Structures are given as structure tokens and as C-alpha cells.
Amino acid sequence: MKVLFVAGDPKPERWTRPIQEHLPDAEVIAWDPNGGTVNADYAIVWQPPAALFEREPGLKAVFNLGAGVDGLMALPYLPPELTVVRLEDAGMSAQMAEYVLHLVVDISRGMARYRDQQAEARWQIHRPTQRHQWPVGVMGLGQIGQRVARTLAALDYPVSGWSRSAHQLEGVTTYAGTEDLDRFLGATRVLVNTLPLTEQTRDLIDHRLLGKLQADAIVINVGRGEHLVDQDLLQALDDGRVSHAVLDVFRQEPLPAEHPFWRHASVTITPHVSARTLRDTTIEQISTKIRDHAAGRAISGVVDRSRGY
């Protein structure tokens, strides 16, 4: 069995050596852009070149080094019959829940006021948080979205969740489908986006959607930059319909220095760090799935090509 690692890492041995340890009977090969066909059975990829699928027509499955497969699915030469497997969690859901929880607590408890007071050596106590005034809505109820929703609900924030298909989560009010979207938005002051990027979700967070949120809304985008219409958010911030936005993902990354998000007083930017791939956990998960697939056993995380996730 041959496994090809295609991720553009300048030090691919950081991945190939431990993969080889997990798959001792396999030949693990780092992608050479100037090389030839190696007749690989499996490929482990992140943003692979289209040439991969031209050079390696015998691939049985491709394993993505991330939960989002929108970039991979958009490749023009991705064979329609090829099995695509996305990364499931691998430590990312805990990181994402931690990131969102930190923001929701910081904003709802007004911690910025205390930071400002410290700079002035001013002692002033403000009223405690009333959690019912901070209903959170999580768009996207995959593993990451569910973890975010459950974490916030455990601290008694009112939490709603919306997704394309129906879900049941203890302590979370759930909505499903386009027919429920407006009801979900009307119950939401803090909007957290964890959706996968598909043609149906691209540009979803636009002027109309933002206008359906509760007053003094907060937007936290940890999904994809393409979910958000940048100019519509800027307009909503300037109009006061949205009071603050926290953005971790962008249409172009790194975010260009001239982009107005950098200078807007009501926008907080982080450089796509809400959840990072944990190498050891990822390698263990993918290696196990490769062994199972090669042995004819069913594996989870297979992408539904019709849905795009």
C-alpha cells in the first residue's frame, strides 16, 4: 500500500515519519511537484494541486487534513467517483468551543469596561450579567457546532442551533431548514457561524440575515470567510444593527492590510486561529481510517458529494 502526503508543508517529514510509524506496512511518500506517478492507493492532502488527480488516477480515497472540504471539492480534476474523507474533530471542537466561550463571556460580562478602568486606575463595579439577555444562536450543528452549543448551554446561556437537517440537542432549541431560519435569527442576539461552505451557504450572512437578528447583535464568524458579505456587515455595524463582530476567517487570507475590517472600531480580528489541526491526533485518526478502508471496513467522515460536506 502506498500513501502519498500532499500538503505543501516545507518539512513534510513532520507528518510522513509518524504516519509511517502508524502504518508500518505502507510506503509513505511526500509529494514531489516535479516527480512522476507513484501509483498511490491513498492521499492525505491539504489544498492539493489539481495535478495530483491527473498523476494519480488509481487513488482509492483522499483524506483531507481539515474538517472543511470546500477547497478540495472545488478542484476541477477531482474525480467524481473518488471517496473524499474529511477530518472529524481531532481536537478542534474543544478549541472552537473554548474560543467562542471566551468571546461570549468577555462580551456579555463587559470585561472591556474593566480593562479600560484599569488603565485609568478607576474602581467601579457594574451590574452582573443577565444571561437571558444574551441568547446565542449557532449556525451549523456538526461536531464542532454541537460542541459550541453544548458548552454555552452548560453555563446557562439560552442557546439555539440551526442547520440544514434536524438535530436534537439537550439544553438547546434547534431549528432546521430555510423555513426555520428567520425564527432562529429572531431568537438570536449572538450569532456564531460554524457552517460548512457550500453553494447554499455562500454569502448567507448578508444584509437581510443581519437585519433579522435581535437588537445590539454580535456576530462571531469561525466558519468560512465566504459565508459573510463583508460590505453588508460593515453597513450593519455602521447602522447600529450589529454592535460588534469577531472574525477569524476571511475571503482572502492573510487579510489584506487595506481591508476596512482592520480599522473598524467594532471589529475584532484573529488570524484563523479559533481551532488548529493537532498533528498527533490527526495522524492517528487518518491512519486508523486508512487501515480500515484498506481492510474493507466502513469508515466515518466520508463526504456526501451532493451536499459538499
Side-chain angles (χ1 to χ4, degrees):
M1 177 171 62
K2 292 183 179 180
V3 178
L4 190 58
F5 179 77
V6 192
D9 191 314
K11 295 183 179 179
E13 64 274 8
R14 294 182 292 191
W15 293 85
T16 56
R17 287 175 182 169
I19 293 169
Q20 186 70 74
E21 292 174 3
H22 280 273
L23 299 170
D25 296 329
E27 181 181 358
V28 181
I29 306 162
W31 168 261
D32 180 356
N34 299 314
T37 301
V38 300
N39 296 314
D41 298 287
Y42 298 102
I44 300 172
V45 307
W46 180 249
Q47 297 180 342
L52 166 65
F53 304 105
E54 296 177 314
R55 270 172 42 180
E56 300 295 334
L59 288 171
K60 300 173 183 175
V62 58
F63 293 81
N64 194 54
L65 286 170
V69 294
D70 44 282
L72 182 58
M73 301 299 287
L75 289 175
Y77 295 108
L78 184 67
E81 71 284 356
L82 181 63
T83 297
V84 177
V85 186
R86 59 180 173 80
L87 192 63
E88 296 179 283
D89 199 340
M92 290 184 290
S93 68
Q95 294 178 70
M96 192 74 80
E98 180 181 64
Y99 178 95
V100 173
L101 175 62
H102 164 77
L103 292 167
V104 171
V105 171
D106 187 82
I107 293 169
S108 66
R109 295 196 61 174
M111 300 307 293
R113 294 177 302 186
Y114 293 111
R115 289 191 287 271
D116 292 341
Q117 288 174 198
Q118 180 177 349
E120 301 169 2
R122 177 162 53 94
W123 184 281
Q124 182 179 354
I125 298 173
H126 299 276
R127 295 179 63 184
T129 296
Q130 301 294 318
R131 284 178 174 77
H132 70 271
Q133 297 176 352
W134 293 93
V136 180
V138 180
M139 287 203 304
L141 292 176
Q143 288 186 322
I144 288 175
Q146 289 188 27
R147 182 70 175 267
V148 170
R150 288 197 303 265
T151 299
L152 291 165
L155 288 179
D156 296 336
Y157 285 93
V159 180
S160 300
W162 178 85
S163 60
R164 177 175 172 176
S165 56
H167 290 75
Q168 296 295 324
L169 287 177
E170 185 176 355
V172 178
T173 303
T174 55
Y175 301 84
T178 55
E179 64 276 11
D180 268 355
L181 181 57
D182 284 357
R183 288 203 300 138
F184 162 79
L185 296 170
T188 296
R189 181 179 179 186
V190 181
L191 181 69
V192 181
N193 176 43
T194 70
L195 286 166
L197 180 63
T198 67
E199 286 309 308
Q200 289 71 40
T201 63
R202 188 181 301 274
D203 298 328
L204 180 63
I205 306 175
D206 62 2
H207 178 85
R208 191 204 75 83
L209 183 146
L210 294 169
K212 296 288 184 177
L213 296 170
Q214 293 185 5
D216 294 321
I218 308 293
V219 174
I220 301 173
N221 189 18
V222 291
R224 284 288 187 268
E226 292 88 344
H227 287 132
L228 175 67
V229 180
D230 293 4
Q231 191 56 47
D232 287 4
L233 174 62
L234 289 166
Q235 188 64 55
L237 288 164
D238 293 341
D239 290 346
R241 286 180 291 124
V242 174
S243 62
H244 198 89
V246 181
L247 308 175
D248 186 56
V249 290
F250 306 91
R251 289 176 179 267
Q252 181 180 345
E253 297 183 2
L255 183 66
E258 65 274 12
H259 198 290
F261 283 157
W262 284 115
R263 295 173 294 282
H264 201 290
S266 297
V267 175
T268 298
I269 289 171
T270 54
H272 205 146
V273 295
S274 55
R276 305 298 302 277
T277 299
L278 302 179
R279 187 183 299 128
D280 291 347
T281 307
T282 296
I283 288 172
E284 181 178 2
Q285 180 186 134
I286 291 177
S287 297
T288 298
K289 290 185 178 183
I290 288 176
R291 283 197 303 269
D292 286 344
H293 191 274
R297 294 186 288 268
I299 60 173
S300 58
V302 175
V303 173
D304 182 339
R305 301 285 286 268
S306 66
R307 291 191 172 193
Y309 61 91

